[in-house]
Amino acid sequence: MARVVVDVMLKPEILDPQGQAVQRALPRLGFDGISDVRQGKRFELEVDGPVDEAMLARIHDLAESFLANTVIEDFTVKVESEEAVAEAVK
């Protein structure tokens, strides 16, 4: 079993009101020196069997058609180690 992570973020040119709200609140909470905040989504997919090129292509298609709105969002797909899945199951 392996874990594949899909991170989805708004494209840089898209306004991020949630990120801006967090960024404005940080100094009031004592967190200075943060100049920008962008908010996104993370999907963790546990995959039965090996994560080969065919499986990564299927996950890429899934992310492109279902997990991200590609008009306003970018996404990345990465494989985490099988050890990370085993650690999370404990």
Side-chain angles (χ1 to χ4, degrees), residues 21 29 32 42 60 63 65 73 78 81:
L29 298 171
D32 296 320
R42 175 182 167 107
H60 187 276
S65 63
E73 295 173 319
K78 63 184 174 193
S81 68

Side-chain angles (χ1 to χ4, degrees), residues 2-85:
R3 178 177 294 149
V4 177
V5 175
V6 179
D7 288 312
V8 180
M9 295 292 296
L10 287 170
K11 291 182 177 184
E13 63 271 15
I14 302 298
L15 183 66
D16 183 356
Q18 286 180 299
Q20 288 178 340
V22 170
Q23 191 274 327
R24 286 191 305 269
L26 292 176
R28 292 192 307 268
L29 298 171
F31 296 100
D32 296 320
I34 307 295
S35 61
D36 192 29
V37 176
R38 303 286 290 176
Q39 183 262 338
K41 302 178 277 190
R42 175 182 167 107
F43 298 91
E44 296 181 357
L45 310 172
E46 292 190 15
V47 178
D48 294 330
V51 179
D52 55 13
E53 291 300 318
M55 178 58 76
L56 282 176
R58 290 184 64 210
I59 291 171
H60 187 276
D61 290 344
L62 165 72
E64 189 171 43
S65 63
F66 185 64
L67 301 179
N69 176 350
T70 56
V71 173
I72 62 170
E73 295 173 319
D74 292 323
F75 66 90
T76 60
V77 177
K78 63 184 174 193
V79 179
E80 286 191 352
S81 68
E82 292 181 20
E83 292 82 27
V85 175

